[in-house]
Amino acid sequence: MPCGSLIPFPELCVSVQEHIERNYHVRVITRDIPVPLLGDLNGAEIHIHTALMAEQRLFLLAHLFGHTVQWNVSRDAFEIGRPRRPPVDEALLPSLMAYEREAAAYGMALLHEIGIREADQWLSDYSACDLAYLEHYYRTGEKRAPLTFWRTGTPLVGPRAIPPFTPQRLVFRSSGVVI
């Protein structure tokens, strides 16, 4: 289970959101998101569900920002995020997992740009949890509680330099794109 008791999540959420909006011109909107999603993106906006705790919000800000970068710099990344009905062909899993790991690396770079380093292990553990959940889901179609995949002390996600990009509106995930 997440254990970020020493991490000031509410304050970090504010800093991260302000940085995303000011430096990358990507709007962050808090709203009700249709079940089962907790967040959504369209290439120019990141939407976060109103009912999330600050810890979940920080993960989604970093992670969905990572996918926003991907979608704006690579049409291939946008295509890999399209809907997939489980079980997914095993041959596609390496590309899907690489797509998720790259989003995590951009998210880590975002935090580092702001000077946030106290959350490195937490973000790495959260990203590994998300990756394990998605891999299980893609293989089986079973939607278990995501935090049942939580492991502490996973290898640290290495930050990946965020390339320059201009946000372009594509489609929301709830319109048919799965991340």
Side-chain angles (χ1 to χ4, degrees):
M1 280 246 178
C3 63
S5 60
L6 300 177
I7 299 171
F9 291 109
E11 294 86 1
L12 296 183
C13 286
V14 171
S15 296
V16 169
Q17 179 172 334
E18 287 175 354
H19 188 77
I20 290 170
E21 291 178 329
R22 181 180 56 249
N23 291 66
Y24 293 100
H25 310 288
V26 173
R27 290 185 60 211
V28 177
I29 297 165
T30 303
R31 67 176 179 90
D32 287 334
I33 306 285
V35 172
L37 304 177
L38 300 176
D40 210 345
L41 73 153
N42 69 4
E45 296 175 349
I46 294 170
H47 290 206
I48 307 280
H49 197 288
T50 56
L52 295 183
M53 294 174 25
E55 185 171 0
Q56 293 171 300
R57 182 178 179 84
L58 183 59
F59 172 73
L60 284 175
L61 284 168
H63 189 73
L64 295 180
F65 173 79
H67 285 311
T68 297
V69 173
Q70 291 173 303
W71 287 15
N72 280 288
V73 301
S74 169
R75 284 289 170 223
D76 290 341
F78 178 75
E79 287 302 315
I80 196 77
R82 70 182 177 80
R84 310 240 178 234
R85 185 171 305 236
V88 171
D89 184 339
E90 282 290 324
L92 291 175
L93 282 178
S95 296
L96 290 166
M97 298 299 101
Y99 168 76
E100 295 297 333
R101 282 190 296 276
E102 183 180 59
Y106 285 138
M108 185 69 80
L110 174 73
L111 297 185
H112 286 186
E113 279 183 356
I114 305 168
I116 299 169
R117 294 187 181 269
E118 67 268 28
D120 284 9
Q121 187 63 62
W122 167 83
L123 183 61
S124 297
D125 291 347
Y126 215 129
S127 296
C129 177
D130 185 56
L131 198 65
Y133 168 81
L134 287 171
E135 185 173 13
H136 175 79
Y137 172 70
Y138 285 145
R139 282 196 165 119
T140 68
E142 179 188 19
K143 292 185 178 183
R144 287 181 26 200
L147 291 181
T148 62
F149 294 93
W150 188 270
R151 301 294 175 265
T152 303
T154 61
L156 291 177
V157 170
R160 182 171 181 159
I162 300 166
F165 68 94
T166 301
Q168 297 177 29
R169 184 177 311 276
L170 300 167
V171 297
F172 279 109
R173 191 168 47 147
S174 58
S175 298
V177 176
V178 175
I179 64 168

